């Protein structure tokens, strides 16, 4: 059913720390790996050895942000499905393939119902859904629903592949409906924000802003002064000898 | 947005077909027998042909039947239902006209209104999308209804009504372009809101996620041909309204009427191509594009 639930028991999602992300794309690769080898149609590539293009559920952009004063910053920006409370991708679906789960708020596609019309990808302002060209059906982040509840995996692996693999600790997984959860506290302490709030999608995933940078000196440092004025010994002799050579004597 | 031929054919042809069915339902022209058969055959070829074209771009056609299931929430599903119900009711009404020479007035009214509702539901598939500000306007349904009504009136051969509706269509189309050109800016969505980094400073796309292209860019960040948009707008307006109007103002003859119809249909295709090609999806902002 493609009407949205009035509320969900839990709100599982991600916090992405833009201060910590180093832009290594490990989350992109682990996501593609897990979701190709496990649940659902694999994430295909087309013309992999020519002009390659493929399906990804997580992509890392990089932005240059230039403040009014001071140096420009480079910010790496991973983006995947935000599992919106008011998900426009779900309500447009004509076949009932797209749905938002009542128990944990994860937005999923039932692949056996999808007809690959692509309207949900049009409805998503974030570009979180991609039509797989080999399978002809819509793919999206499942929040690794086949990992997080999977009792065959060791407990530390029961989180999304992108979170598990992030070497910088820039991705956090948890329940936003619990104000005491790690993710809720991170958002409260660090001023977590929504992407495109004006679109009214009420995304569950939050982004943490980069911390303020140290201010660099705006003027170039002056020429280094001589450290010692009276010198003795070998280095003093070398200094004076070099000064006497043609072209020497500066500083 | 990528102007897929299947979607241009679908919206253009089914709009004309259901527009014609609307007028036939209300008894314009009041034909029976063989003449009625010709009118209904044209309407059904356009409407059904357009609907068939819409299935060409589906990734998994075997699931298309399931598109009837979500009429409570999805405009695409509602459109599927309205199209089928209109075609059944208008088929019944047409059969009465063609084979019995009887006009079941009420059946015609209901079928005509449902045909117009089908055109409206097609427009709402696009108008509902907040992610595409140029489409997310009340003028989008107004535009589709104007095209359906004017094209239908032209095909049904009502000269006076067509002239008035072509004028309305031209005005709505120009208003749609004028407001549409400001839609992305007034939507408030920008690279700053997309990334949330606007508080720090001016945001510029430094490096895309991949060196190659992807589904999102192909499907939603279509920029080919935008530089010709001003010329194409003029061409489509000339073809869709000005030339047919000139043909209808001259003393009636069948050759001019045929020219008016051909010109109008070519104009509808050009305008519909622009409708898709010019529409900016906000996901382009993540790539520093629009």
């Amino acid at each position: 059913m493609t009407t949205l639930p009035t509320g969900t028991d839990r709100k599982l999602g991600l916090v992405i720390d833009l201060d910590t992300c180093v832009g290594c794309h490990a989350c992109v690769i682990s996501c593609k790996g897990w979701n190709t080898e496990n649940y659902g149609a694999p994430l295909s590539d087309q013309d992999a050895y020519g002009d390659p293009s493929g399906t990804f559920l997580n992509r890392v952009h990089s932005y240059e942000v230039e403040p009014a004063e001071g140096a420009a910053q480079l910010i790496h920006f991973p983006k995947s499905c935000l599992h919106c409370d008011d998900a426009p991708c779900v309500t447009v679906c004509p076949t009932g393939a797209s749905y938002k789960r009542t128990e944990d708020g994860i937005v999923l596609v039932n692949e056996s119902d999808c007809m690959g019309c692509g309207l949900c990808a049009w409805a998503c302002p974030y570009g979180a859904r991609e039509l797989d060209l080999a399978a002809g059906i819509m793919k999206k982040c499942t929040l690794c629903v086949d990992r997080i509840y999977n009792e065959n995996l060791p407990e530390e692996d029961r989180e999304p592949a992108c979170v598990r693999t992030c070497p910088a600790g820039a991705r956090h997984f948890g329940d936003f409906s619990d104000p005491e959860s790690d993710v809720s506290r991170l958002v409260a302490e660090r001023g977590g924000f929504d992407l495109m709030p004006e679109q009214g999608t009420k995304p569950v995933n939050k982004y943490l802003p980069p911390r303020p940078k140290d201010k660099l000196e705006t003027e170039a440092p002056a020429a280094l002064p001589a450290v010692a004025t009276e010198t003795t010994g070998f280095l003093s002799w070398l200094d004076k000898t070099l000064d006497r050579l043609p072209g020497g004597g500066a500083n | 947005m990528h102007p897929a031929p299947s979607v241009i054919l679908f919206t253009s042809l089914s709009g004309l077909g259901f527009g014609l069915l609307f007028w036939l339902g209300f008894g314009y022209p009041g034909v029976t027998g063989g003449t009625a058969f010709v009118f209904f055959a044209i309407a059904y070829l356009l409407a059904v042909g357009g609907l068939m074209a819409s299935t060409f771009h589906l990734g998994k056609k075997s699931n298309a039947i399931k598109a009837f299931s979500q009429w409570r929430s999805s405009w695409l599903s509602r459109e599927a239902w309205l199209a089928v119900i209109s075609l059944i009711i208008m088929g019944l009404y047409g059969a009465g006209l063609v084979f019995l020479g009887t006009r079941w007035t009420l059946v015609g009214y209901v079928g005509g209104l449902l045909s117009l509702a089908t055109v409206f539901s097609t427009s709402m598939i696009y108008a509902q999308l907040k992610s595409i500000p140029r489409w997310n306007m009340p003028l989008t349904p107004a535009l589709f209804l104007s095209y359906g009504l004017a094209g239908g009136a032209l095909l049904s051969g009502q000269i006076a009504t067509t002239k008035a509706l072509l004028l309305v269509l031209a005005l709505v189309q120009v208003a749609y372009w004028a407001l549409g050109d400001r839609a992305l800016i007034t939507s408030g969505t920008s690279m700053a809101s997309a990334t949330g980094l606007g508080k720090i400073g001016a945001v510029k796309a430094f490096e895309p996620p991949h060196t190659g292209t992807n589904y999102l860019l192909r499907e939603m960040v279509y920029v080919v041909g935008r530089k010709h948009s001003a010329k194409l707008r003029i061409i489509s307006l000339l073809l869709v309204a000005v030339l047919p109007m000139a043909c209808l103002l001259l003393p009636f003859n069948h050759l001019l009427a045929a020219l008016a119809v051909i010109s109008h249909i070519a104009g509808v295709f050009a305008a519909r191509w622009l409708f898709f090609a010019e529409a900016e999806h906000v996901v382009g902002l993540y790539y520093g594009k629009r």
Side-chain angles (χ1 to χ4, degrees), chain B residues 247-280:
Chain B
C247 292
L248 297 181
L249 286 170
L250 291 168
F252 180 82
N253 89 39
H254 277 102
L255 204 65
L256 279 177
L259 181 63
V261 169
I262 291 167
S263 164
H264 181 78
I265 293 177
V268 173
F269 284 137
R272 207 46 59 82
W273 186 89
L274 277 171
F275 177 80
F276 288 98
E278 285 193 298
E280 306 95 339

Side-chain angles (χ1 to χ4, degrees), chain A residues 1-3 18 25 28 51-54 56 58-68 73-75 77 79 91-96 111-119 121-131 133 135-138 193-200 210, chain B residues 1-2 7 57-61 63-64 66-70 72-77 125-126 128-133 135 187-191 193-197 199-210 212-216 218-220 276 281-283 285-287:
Chain A
M1 178 56 71
T2 57
T3 44
L18 298 178
H25 292 239
V28 177
D51 182 14
S53 162
F56 286 81
N58 179 27
R59 293 179 183 266
V60 179
H61 297 250
S62 296
Y63 297 104
E64 181 187 335
V65 185
E66 198 166 6
Q73 297 177 25
L74 180 60
I75 295 161
F77 193 97
K79 182 165 62 63
T91 49
V92 299
C93 176
T95 65
E111 297 187 354
S112 60
D113 283 348
C114 175
M115 67 173 186
C117 70
L119 189 58
W122 289 11
C124 172
Y126 307 107
R129 289 175 168 241
E130 301 192 17
L131 189 79
L133 292 186
I137 49 171
M138 197 53 70
F193 60 85
D194 289 346
L195 305 187
M196 294 185 182
E198 71 285 348
Q199 286 274 333
Chain B
M1 302 298 291
H2 173 61
V7 183
H57 79 284
L58 295 182
K60 204 172 171 189
K61 295 181 184 63
N63 278 341
K66 293 179 178 169
F68 288 97
S69 67
Q70 302 302 310
R72 289 179 202 80
S73 47
S74 164
W75 277 107
L76 207 163
S77 190
I125 295 173
Y126 306 107
Q128 68 178 332
L129 300 172
K130 271 193 96 169
S131 51
I132 304 161
W135 290 351
S187 75
T189 301
S190 61
M191 273 187 86
S193 78
T195 60
L197 299 171
K199 278 170 240 145
I200 303 174
V203 184
K204 200 168 95 182
F206 182 78
E207 200 174 39
H210 292 83
T213 185
N214 62 37
Y215 168 76
L216 301 169
R218 283 191 301 268
E219 184 76 6
M220 289 171 248
F276 288 98
H281 193 292
V282 295
V283 74
L285 296 168
Y286 284 108
Y287 292 83

Side-chain angles (χ1 to χ4, degrees), chain B residues 110-125:
Chain B
V110 171
L113 287 176
L114 283 169
S115 300
L116 203 60
T118 308
V119 177
F120 176 74
S121 63
T122 305
S123 73
M124 285 308 292
I125 295 173

Side-chain angles (χ1 to χ4, degrees), chain A residues 28-232:
Chain A
V28 177
I29 303 306
S30 63
C31 166
K32 178 114 173 172
W34 179 266
N35 287 292
T36 290
E37 293 154 10
N38 295 282
Y39 159 82
L43 305 177
S44 70
D45 291 315
Q46 279 70 43
D47 199 10
Y49 300 100
D51 182 14
S53 162
T55 311
F56 286 81
L57 310 183
N58 179 27
R59 293 179 183 266
V60 179
H61 297 250
S62 296
Y63 297 104
E64 181 187 335
V65 185
E66 198 166 6
E69 282 177 31
Q73 297 177 25
L74 180 60
I75 295 161
H76 302 292
F77 193 97
K79 182 165 62 63
S80 53
C81 173
L82 307 171
H83 297 280
C84 303
D85 272 342
D86 213 341
C89 55
V90 170
T91 49
V92 299
C93 176
T95 65
S98 279
Y99 62 106
K100 185 171 174 72
R101 303 199 334 164
T102 321
E103 60 268 39
D104 52 19
I106 300 179
V107 176
L108 287 176
V109 176
N110 179 350
E111 297 187 354
S112 60
D113 283 348
C114 175
M115 67 173 186
C117 70
L119 189 58
C120 56
W122 289 11
C124 172
Y126 307 107
R129 289 175 168 241
E130 301 192 17
L131 189 79
D132 188 87
L133 292 186
I137 49 171
M138 197 53 70
K139 299 296 295 186
K140 71 175 294 299
C141 161
T142 65
L143 217 56
C144 284
V145 70
D146 50 349
R147 287 175 68 96
I148 58 177
Y149 298 115
N150 190 339
E151 291 182 1
N152 296 318
L153 294 177
E155 202 168 339
E156 63 268 29
D157 284 338
R158 289 179 212 159
E159 58 182 14
C162 57
V163 176
R164 184 75 182 95
T165 209
C166 179
R171 305 179 71 100
H172 308 270
F173 166 68
D175 178 10
F176 289 86
S177 70
D178 172 9
E180 290 308 310
S181 68
D182 287 351
V183 285
S184 296
R185 283 170 41 216
L186 262 175
V187 169
E189 283 166 23
R190 295 273 309 280
F193 60 85
D194 289 346
L195 305 187
M196 294 185 182
E198 71 285 348
Q199 286 274 333
T201 53
K202 301 191 194 114
V204 169
N205 285 13
K206 303 286 184 233
Y207 282 73
L208 303 181
R211 292 184 176 90
K213 301 284 185 216
D214 292 340
K215 292 278 182 248
L216 294 172
E217 293 290 340
T218 46
E219 287 176 41
L224 294 173
V227 177
T229 46
E230 285 183 35
T231 55
T232 54

Side-chain angles (χ1 to χ4, degrees), chain B residues 44-148:
Chain B
Y44 271 75
L45 279 175
L46 290 169
V48 177
L51 291 170
M52 302 264 280
S54 75
T55 63
F56 293 166
H57 79 284
L58 295 182
K60 204 172 171 189
K61 295 181 184 63
S62 55
N63 278 341
I65 193 73
K66 293 179 178 169
F68 288 97
S69 67
Q70 302 302 310
W71 52 272
R72 289 179 202 80
S73 47
S74 164
W75 277 107
L76 207 163
S77 190
R78 285 171 200 159
E79 195 228 16
W81 273 111
L82 283 166
V84 168
I85 298 173
S86 315
L87 289 173
I88 291 172
I89 295 182
M90 287 305 288
L92 195 70
Y93 172 71
L97 290 174
V98 173
F99 301 112
L100 306 173
T102 322
R103 180 160 177 253
W104 296 313
T105 320
L106 189 64
V107 179
Y109 288 169
V110 171
L113 287 176
L114 283 169
S115 300
L116 203 60
T118 308
V119 177
F120 176 74
S121 63
T122 305
S123 73
M124 285 308 292
I125 295 173
Y126 306 107
Q128 68 178 332
L129 300 172
K130 271 193 96 169
S131 51
I132 304 161
R134 195 186 279 273
W135 290 351
N136 189 225
M137 303 193 292
L139 265 179
T140 299
L143 186 74
F144 276 64
L145 289 173
S146 310
Y147 271 97

